[in-house]
Amino acid sequence: MPKDGGIGASTKRREDVRFLTGKGRYTDDINIRGQLYAHFIRSDVAHGRIRSIDTSAAEAMPGVAKVFTSKDFEGAGGLPCGWQVTDRFGKPMQEPKHPILAEGKVRHVGDPIAVVVAETLEQARDAAEAVVIDIEELEPVLDMKAALADGATKVHDDLASNLCYDWGFVEENKEAVNAAFGKAAHVVSLELKNNRLVANPMEPRVAVGDYEDHSGNHTLYTTSQNPHVIRLLMGAFVLGIPEHKLRVVAPDVGGGFGSKIYHYAEEAFVTKAAHILKRPVKWTSTRSEAFISDAHGRDHVTKIELALDADHNFTAIRTETYANMGAYLSTFAPSIPTWLHGTLMAGNYRTPLIYVNVKAVFTNTVPVDAYRGAGRPEATFQLERLIDKAARELGVDPIELRRKNFITADQFPYQTPVAVVYDTGNYHATMDKLLEISDYAGFGARAAESAKRGKLRGFGIAHYIEACGIAPSNLVGQLGARAGLYESATVRVNATGSISVFTGSHSHGQGHETSFAQVVAEMIGIDAGQVEIIHGDTSNTPMGMGTYGSRSLAVGGSALVKATNKIVNKAKKIAAHLLEASESDIELKDGKFTVAGTDKSVDWAGVTLAAYVPHNYPLENLEPGLEETAFYDPSNFTYPSGAYGCEVEVDPDTGKVDIVAFSAADDFGNIVNPMIVEGQVQGGLAQGIGQALLENCVYDENGQLLSGSFMDYAMPRADDLPMFKVDHSCCTPCTHNPLGVKGCGEAGAIGSPPAVVNAVIDALHRAGHTHVTHIDMPVSPARVWAAMNG
Amino acid sequence: MHNFDFVKPSTIAEAVKALSDGDAQALSGGQTLLPSMKQRLAAPGTLVSLTGIAEMKGVCKGDGGLHIGAATPHAVVAREAAAHYPALAALAGGIGDPAVRSRGTIGGSIANNDPAACYPAAVLASGATVVTNKRQIAADDYFQGMFTTALEEGEIVIEVRFPIPQKAAYVKFNQPASRFALTGVFVAKFGDGVRVAVTGASNNGVFRWTEGEKALSSSFSADAVKGLSVDPAEMISDLHGTPEYRAHLVKVLTGRAVAQANG
């Protein structure tokens, strides 16, 4: 039994008390005396040349402080991209400038052109209607393949083409892969799309800029997953403000899912505008604005092929993907279809030869970047759909085909042909566990019962792997990352023994305030209630990279363990002095320091008090105080994996798919708080099922966003989802971080989409619709009906 | 939202007078109008609330049917019509969510005549009469295409009078995002025949499926429509469904509505 509040306990989330009682303090709750309001005027056309902007009438309107255009930002840099991908030919990617406000051209619906800042938001909106903008409309670039044709209209006039990069991975393997296909007994191929998504966190983005004239101090309050990263990018590359004059605060943040990682124009705008106007400036996104200004996710078009030998061993995989970058490069964008996608194309399988080609393309759409899973869902979807298709074409069981090709438990660490080394895993175990918890053996009876009600029942499997714990800095540096991806923690022990932890990770729903406290409490042996977790403010937390990529416990937690170990080591020295014993004889257990083999002891608070009230203290060889900081840079990614099973009923008359059961058997390594892990998995499953069945970001032929509100963009709701069966008893601990943890935040969104689509295809095949080999997501009623009747 | 004046008259006469100002706009539950105003897509000078007029509210049995005041919220219809016209009550109880149902009204719905709204299907299939401050309009004459009705300037819906069919049912297939009707079919069987009204499907707004009505009038069974097909030519095409899909749904949902009506 884990100790209450310690590692392994399902401790209730302490932060939920304030969230559930309306006491959370979000960025929009921050209002500063004298604050002005910003309203962004955004392009309503996808592509156009700005002929003129006349702000004179608007500037004369009541309450207007100033109307800003790109002219006001002539000295500022563009929004930087944090990753540079090198193409197949050794050349760097094409990297256009991403201005704060449009310079000369608008490149997507929602591209900001001008901003009205006024005493009230309504005055700003009134004045915005008086800003006269003359735009010469240009042909929009929307289809990725057409965008790469000779003579295609260019999104960026100063670039050679709309191709950001043409990436081959591993380029040296290309010929060997082609040769393997030449020799294959079977080749199976599939063309598919990974639908574009809008993250839609419950809290839209908000930014408040403040400036103190006498000190020159800037403060930005923003809805960010990584305030230090925003401070670095905006301070160093956009506005030229040194760190000690720029504080970035991300207080309570209502969900991110990736969309709040990036440095956005609005953040730089309010910071600079507050400086220019010498008054605080606030911007709060509307939901409509979020659809056209938050970075979107996914949007890949892929052809994948699998070569098998006569015994159905996988011998090679070859893919060609077109990845939509949108109009500009968002902070992480180039890395998603490459290093977070190509490196995962081995999946859980022993395929010896893999070649991944990715063409990243600029289009007149909202920039695309990481969204829960980021590259790994795209990889998993291709692979797990293709293996199902292969099983059907070969007439074998899709589960057995997977088992046959799984990396086996005795093969770890396993070097894949796509650069990464999986440290641990046991895929046969997770598959077995899934079949058990989903009662796979009883499927036939359930299908027969469905058939009596006129419904087509199907069972779909997917097995995923992901690379989390982002990321080993030396490796990602070689791959083009322009920043290190370590994490930090400061553990400040207070005089009476309570502990304040300052972490570079950021919680926006993950429950760090609870789970991080469990780690420290367990290590020292004190009550978790004595440990407080502080995050989100660059003025009091050590420089850290924030929260995304299921990294917080694996990387941030490891930094926390390192810092706590330093605390324990120093505390032992103090205890040794107090107990007049040798440091090597001091043992710490349950918050008590004991001289081994004796009954001599001092409790935790006795030691901490001595550290700060050093009347009896070894001042000659130890500093007073008890506060330590540690930085942790992982030596490898972590590799969570799992088997997901989806059971659907299809209504043959309408094509509607109901998910009647969903089971998840994950291997997350060690687990600190099982309840939080289950919540993370359930949330991920809801988002993955949303992608598979409901969500779709669609542009029309003019580049207008058709799904620009919740009237047309279908978010999953509670009644779209079944009760989930979530199991994480399969555990192969991570071998290279101190907690043995792997991360769980994205798994649900990665593994579920192919399980859902596989289940739908299975249902249709069992009902005789064997011509249906694939349906693109979202698998909407209309698409299923069309496929059945196609 | 732009600034506007707000008046809340207590009689129909006052409301009509207030609406005679060219810049005035009637406001009922506001479930369509207020979001449009928030987005600055509509900017009336004066909003004339119709929800303070006692005679425009309530559900009661009257001459030959059920009379529903135009300013009656869906939730009230769902509750109070249940004993008299269960299919209508069920339709009202399935509109939007609880917040929408406690504000949105039948009069607002049919005055707007959204092509995917539920109420127009009930009004048309029931052969209801729309009572305005000027006249009585038969449902067949009232709905004149997407967002278009027979209402003239300054004319407001006061009440809707529903004949009560022997059997009826409404089956809605949800558009997955808005949960408006991707297609919805209301079937009503009267002594002298069957009426079938379809919402959500057509570019022309709510319409009667006369071929289905003919088949069902001779045999009120789900099988009666099985052999029929619906012409997709006038059907809506959008990201949620093709014209062919909607045409197919008309037939499927009609069959289901009949089965449901037959219990």
Side-chain angles (χ1 to χ4, degrees), chain A residues 122 126 651 653-654 717 719, chain B residues 1 40 177 179 245 248:
Chain A
E122 287 303 308
D126 286 343
D651 180 338
D653 294 330
T654 63
R717 305 183 206 195
D719 64 355
Chain B
M1 197 180 281
R40 299 191 165 214
R179 299 202 173 176
Y245 182 61
H248 169 75

Side-chain angles (χ1 to χ4, degrees), chain A residues 31-44:
Chain A
N31 293 292
I32 306 170
R33 199 169 154 182
Q35 164 181 294
L36 296 162
Y37 293 84
H39 174 77
F40 279 73
I41 302 172
R42 299 177 182 279
S43 177
D44 56 7

Side-chain angles (χ1 to χ4, degrees), chain A residues 225-526:
Chain A
Q225 300 178 213
N226 33 224
H228 274 288
V229 174
I230 302 306
R231 185 174 72 161
L232 177 64
L233 293 177
M234 185 176 82
F237 300 103
V238 184
L239 298 180
I241 307 169
E243 284 96 332
H244 69 299
K245 291 292 167 193
L246 175 59
R247 174 183 170 206
V248 177
V249 184
D252 284 334
V253 173
F257 313 110
S259 71
K260 292 174 181 167
I261 298 173
Y262 324 116
H263 176 40
Y264 286 99
E266 294 86 356
E267 295 172 320
F269 175 80
V270 297
T271 306
K272 182 74 176 169
H275 185 183
I276 292 172
L277 296 169
K278 306 283 190 278
R279 288 181 61 183
V281 176
K282 180 176 202 171
W283 168 76
T284 301
S285 174
T286 63
R287 182 62 67 184
S288 308
E289 218 172 355
F291 271 98
I292 54 172
S293 68
D294 292 2
H296 293 170
R298 317 280 195 262
D299 204 351
H300 286 192
V301 176
T302 294
K303 181 182 181 187
I304 179 168
E305 299 167 283
L306 173 67
L308 302 95
D309 68 16
D311 294 328
H312 301 164
N313 294 305
F314 302 165
T315 57
I317 288 170
R318 184 165 62 191
T319 78
E320 182 182 34
T321 287
Y322 292 80
N324 205 332
M325 294 286 104
Y328 305 98
L329 290 178
S330 179
T331 313
F332 272 8
S335 69
I336 309 307
T338 51
W339 302 110
L340 288 171
H341 162 258
T343 49
L344 274 301
M345 284 312 303
N348 307 91
Y349 309 101
R350 293 189 312 268
T351 317
L353 287 163
I354 296 175
Y355 179 70
V356 177
N357 176 237
V358 178
K359 296 174 181 73
V361 187
F362 293 112
T363 61
N364 291 117
T365 61
V366 169
V368 179
D369 207 324
Y371 166 75
R372 201 171 194 168
R376 291 151 291 172
E378 294 90 323
T380 305
F381 187 71
Q382 296 165 42
L383 203 51
E384 293 298 305
R385 280 293 302 119
L386 182 66
I387 293 171
D388 249 41
K389 185 165 184 268
R392 284 186 204 294
E393 289 185 12
L394 300 171
V396 299
D397 183 305
I399 295 169
E400 289 313 312
L401 185 60
R402 285 180 172 85
R403 283 197 217 261
K404 185 181 179 66
N405 285 281
F406 273 159
I407 299 160
T408 55
D410 57 1
Q411 289 181 300
F412 294 94
Y414 185 84
Q415 171 70 58
T416 74
V418 274
V420 292
V421 179
Y422 301 159
D423 59 342
T424 54
N426 187 343
Y427 311 141
H428 287 91
T430 39
M431 181 66 92
D432 290 347
K433 178 56 74 177
L434 172 75
L435 298 181
E436 174 200 324
I437 63 172
S438 63
D439 184 23
Y440 182 65
F443 174 77
R446 295 193 295 277
E449 191 277 329
S450 297
K452 278 189 202 154
R453 290 182 284 108
K455 297 288 176 66
L456 319 179
R457 201 171 184 113
F459 192 96
I461 288 266
H463 210 288
Y464 75 89
I465 182 136
E466 50 172 333
C468 298
I470 292 171
S473 293
N474 60 356
L475 173 60
V476 296
Q478 293 166 34
L479 305 181
R482 288 166 168 160
L485 290 168
Y486 61 87
E487 199 44 87
S488 64
T490 295
V491 177
R492 176 182 299 163
V493 181
N494 304 304
T496 64
S498 67
I499 297 176
S500 304
V501 172
F502 300 84
T503 169
S505 299
H506 185 276
S507 184
H508 33 278
Q510 294 85 348
H512 296 170
E513 290 172 41
T514 302
S515 55
F516 280 27
Q518 287 178 251
V519 171
V520 177
E522 175 84 27
M523 289 179 69
I524 297 176
I526 55 173

Side-chain angles (χ1 to χ4, degrees), chain B residues 229-245:
Chain B
S229 65
V230 179
D231 183 3
E234 293 296 320
M235 297 295 168
I236 294 170
S237 175
D238 63 16
L239 64 156
H240 305 290
T242 57
E244 291 72 22
Y245 182 61

Side-chain angles (χ1 to χ4, degrees), chain B residues 86-113:
Chain B
L88 180 65
L91 174 145
I95 298 172
D97 54 33
V100 168
R101 289 195 289 274
S102 65
R103 297 291 303 177
T105 68
I106 185 171
S109 173
I110 66 167
N112 188 43
N113 194 20

Side-chain angles (χ1 to χ4, degrees), chain A residues 125 129, chain B residues 2 33 35-44:
Chain A
R125 294 187 69 176
E129 292 176 5
Chain B
H2 288 275
L33 181 56
S36 307
M37 289 172 65
K38 282 184 183 170
Q39 294 202 301
R40 299 191 165 214
L41 299 171

